[in-house]
Amino acid sequence: MNILKAHDFKGKKVIDSREVAEMVGRSHKELLRTINTYIGYLKEGEVVGENPSGIAQRNFALGDFFIESSYIDGNNQQRPNFLITKKGCDMIANKLTGKKGVLFTAAYVTAFEEMAEQLKADHVPPRVSPGGVAQLINVTRRIMMDCGDTPQDIRKMETDMLETWRIPVPLTLQQPAQLNLFSTEYQAIAGGEQA
């Protein structure tokens, strides 16, 4: 079984249509024809009424499914291809049956999940001392209090900041109780520093 690899293209996770064609056992030319048919259908997707929730159906953004692209072949000639998003892969997979359909679905789901995990792993906030975070929280808290923010808004800000910097959230913020940044838990986070 071929392994599909999702790539980042302008912030979207995509798979090359040549890889998809190989994976599903079709010629690339045939898959391009199928994708162009799907694109035609998507372009025709005018407002067609309401869905069961009462929301109007709308045109679909083609870039949410297929992104036109090209590549240079072995003869140094430019050839068309598509970059296919997860939605586009879903559309292709929904038309496949049997072993090929199951294998393609498993491969593209795995590829997109691996790409998502890689993006999560790549997003690591810069290092900062817990004392620096505690000081930032204290200053932000004072500003929020001066602006008249509610204790719930302040608690949310504190929790968000701690989670952003991957610092365990003290129990006093996890329970609906009086806010107290000068508690021993905050002093422990700040390394005993007082703001």
Side-chain angles (χ1 to χ4, degrees):
M1 180 174 98
N2 298 331
I3 303 293
L4 291 175
K5 180 79 173 146
H7 307 278
D8 182 63
F9 177 77
K10 296 183 180 180
K12 290 188 179 192
K13 295 176 278 193
V14 296
I15 296 177
D16 190 294
S17 58
R18 293 171 291 167
E19 294 178 61
V20 172
E22 186 178 333
M23 181 73 205
V24 299
R26 295 170 66 184
S27 73
H28 189 237
K29 184 177 180 178
E30 183 183 345
L31 181 62
L32 291 178
R33 197 171 325 127
T34 300
I35 291 171
N36 280 315
T37 299
Y38 294 162
I39 288 172
Y41 295 153
L42 291 169
K43 284 181 179 178
E44 293 171 6
E46 299 295 328
V47 175
V48 293
E50 296 180 350
N51 69 14
S53 301
I55 299 172
Q57 299 287 359
R58 60 173 174 78
N59 286 338
F60 298 99
L62 298 180
D64 289 345
F65 298 87
F66 308 104
I67 301 167
E68 287 188 63
S69 186
S70 64
Y71 67 98
I72 304 297
D73 70 7
N75 296 325
N76 206 28
Q77 294 186 6
Q78 187 171 348
R79 301 285 181 199
N81 74 325
F82 285 96
L83 302 176
I84 306 173
T85 67
K86 184 174 184 309
K87 283 184 178 182
C89 285
D90 285 338
M91 187 176 290
I92 292 168
N94 283 331
K95 300 297 179 188
L96 297 174
T97 59
K99 182 178 179 180
K100 286 182 184 176
V102 170
L103 293 176
F104 172 65
T105 301
Y108 87 78
V109 166
T110 300
F112 281 103
E113 284 180 359
E114 287 173 357
M115 180 73 172
E117 289 302 316
Q118 182 63 42
L119 290 174
K120 278 186 201 174
D122 289 346
H123 178 70
V124 177
R127 299 196 78 181
V128 65
S129 72
V133 174
Q135 288 176 350
L136 177 62
I137 288 173
N138 281 330
V139 169
T140 306
R141 179 177 184 264
R142 286 187 200 124
I143 292 169
M144 289 179 76
M145 288 174 64
D146 289 345
C147 291
D149 285 294
T150 67
Q152 292 79 14
D153 291 337
I154 295 170
R155 177 178 292 138
K156 172 97 172 83
M157 172 277 301
E158 294 167 341
T159 302
D160 288 347
M161 276 195 193
L162 291 170
E163 288 173 350
T164 297
W165 298 104
R166 297 185 178 165
I167 297 173
V169 178
L171 291 176
T172 56
L173 290 180
Q174 296 175 15
Q175 301 168 353
Q178 182 68 28
L179 294 177
N180 182 1
L181 283 179
F182 302 102
S183 71
T184 55
E185 287 182 82
Y186 273 106
Q187 291 175 12
I189 288 173
E193 300 172 16
Q194 296 275 337

